[in-house]
Amino acid sequence: MSRTAIISDIHANYHALSAVAADMYAMQCTDIVCLGDVVGYNAYPGECLDCVRNWNCPVVKGNHDEEVVSPSQARMNKVARQAMDWTRNQLDAERLKWLSSLQYQRIVRSDNGVSYTIVHSSLDHPKAWNYIINADDATSIFPRQFSNICFHGHTHVPKIFFWNGRHAVEDYDTISALYTDGYTEFQPQTGLKYFINAGSVGQPRDNDPRACYAIYDTDLNLIIIKRVEYDIGSAQDAILAQGLPEYLAERLASGV
Ligand code: ZN
């Protein structure tokens, strides 16, 4: 059996990560991949980094993972930068070195030989940290996608795009089930390319505060996206206890 949990944008939210970890074991996942932004915003960067590192799974670099190691001062808003400066002080040289060693994109091969791509933001300019929000944005991705399936994160909003041979199309119907049922699944069609946003574990921004992650079952040719309840109050308390910006605690409750 080859069933991989696809987790993205953990953002140092250990309460959310723990809940997702329990869920992915309950869902009988055999493997894990991580789409980056392990740190930033929330109160447990070291714990989340160690957890992902101990899984020894494929991981790609996110913009927060890069920023904490190589501050650019340009790209981030004030709140994000405050959290980033705090985060940098929480991580020792060895952990920073691990973050800096991450690649921008990777090909993952599952146990049954199915290959797919993982990237944090986009395939045409992975280091530019573009946000792929709609089908127009996604149209520039597909000429650079050489596998049928690519998973990404970065916007913190779960989405499914596919290539119809001429342009990208957004699959609203499959995602809409996620908002009614907290769960959706689909079978990718042979010959079509898909660019799939797995949502965010640690800071969802689609007005649903529950943690979000995806599962790719390559035996069943099945992709699942689902939500997981977690202890938001404790994650908020930890943010405030560390003196991080209050807004970072508030936004967790509303999922923005
Ligand atoms: Zn992020």
Side-chain angles (χ1 to χ4, degrees):
M1 187 166 132
S2 193
R3 177 172 264 238
T4 303
I6 316 286
I7 58 175
S8 190
D9 294 277
I10 298 163
H11 282 298
N13 187 336
Y14 194 70
H15 293 90
L17 181 60
S18 301
V20 166
D23 195 79
M24 66 195 189
Y25 291 120
M27 292 292 290
Q28 300 186 304
C29 292
T30 54
D31 298 284
I32 304 166
V33 304
C34 175
L35 309 182
D37 274 4
V38 177
V39 301
Y41 293 131
N42 292 294
Y44 296 94
E47 290 83 351
C48 290
L49 187 154
D50 289 349
C51 183
V52 172
R53 189 165 57 163
N54 289 338
W55 281 331
N56 197 24
C57 63
V59 186
V60 286
K61 186 183 288 184
N63 52 315
H64 286 249
D65 306 323
E66 181 169 87
E67 186 73 18
V68 75
V69 177
S70 315
S72 70
Q73 300 300 321
R75 291 188 196 122
M76 295 201 159
N77 64 44
K78 191 172 163 223
V79 167
R81 190 170 304 137
Q82 270 179 276
M84 189 49 60
D85 291 341
W86 177 86
T87 300
R88 196 171 295 115
N89 288 325
Q90 309 303 309
L91 299 173
D92 59 20
E94 201 221 345
R95 290 187 175 98
L96 292 171
K97 192 175 164 197
W98 182 81
L99 287 172
S100 71
S101 74
L102 300 174
Q103 299 169 41
Y104 290 93
Q105 68 184 77
R106 291 184 63 163
I107 301 287
V108 180
R109 181 181 284 265
S110 66
D111 285 348
N112 60 359
V114 175
S115 293
Y116 56 96
T117 310
I118 59 172
V119 68
H120 184 68
S121 63
S122 74
L123 290 171
D124 51 345
H125 296 293
K127 298 181 189 175
W129 311 116
N130 296 336
Y131 290 91
I132 307 303
I133 294 166
N134 54 41
D136 277 352
D137 300 331
T139 293
S140 61
I141 299 301
F142 286 103
R144 303 291 180 112
Q145 183 175 323
F146 302 110
S147 58
N148 288 337
I149 306 288
C150 177
F151 291 100
H152 71 291
H154 195 41
T155 65
H156 300 203
V157 177
K159 296 228 175 194
I160 301 163
F161 301 105
F162 63 91
W163 179 251
N164 72 358
R166 296 186 307 283
H167 55 82
V169 179
E170 185 168 352
D171 178 352
Y172 293 106
D173 289 348
T174 302
I175 286 294
S176 69
L178 184 65
Y179 294 105
T180 51
D181 307 336
Y183 178 100
T184 193
E185 63 176 41
F186 73 103
Q187 292 201 289
Q189 287 180 44
T190 311
L192 285 188
K193 285 185 189 173
Y194 293 84
F195 191 64
I196 300 157
N197 192 313
S200 170
V201 170
Q203 194 194 74
R205 295 181 191 162
D206 57 350
N207 302 308
D208 184 340
R210 294 175 293 178
C212 187
Y213 79 109
I215 295 171
Y216 185 20
D217 189 317
T218 52
D219 287 332
L220 300 176
N221 183 38
L222 184 71
I223 291 174
I224 295 166
I225 304 176
K226 67 177 302 206
R227 308 310 285 235
V228 181
E229 303 265 6
Y230 77 96
D231 185 352
I232 293 174
S234 293
Q236 291 175 308
D237 290 346
I239 287 169
L240 299 177
Q242 294 294 347
L244 287 161
E246 264 178 51
Y247 173 64
L248 293 176
E250 288 165 14
R251 71 187 303 177
L252 289 182
S254 45
V256 295

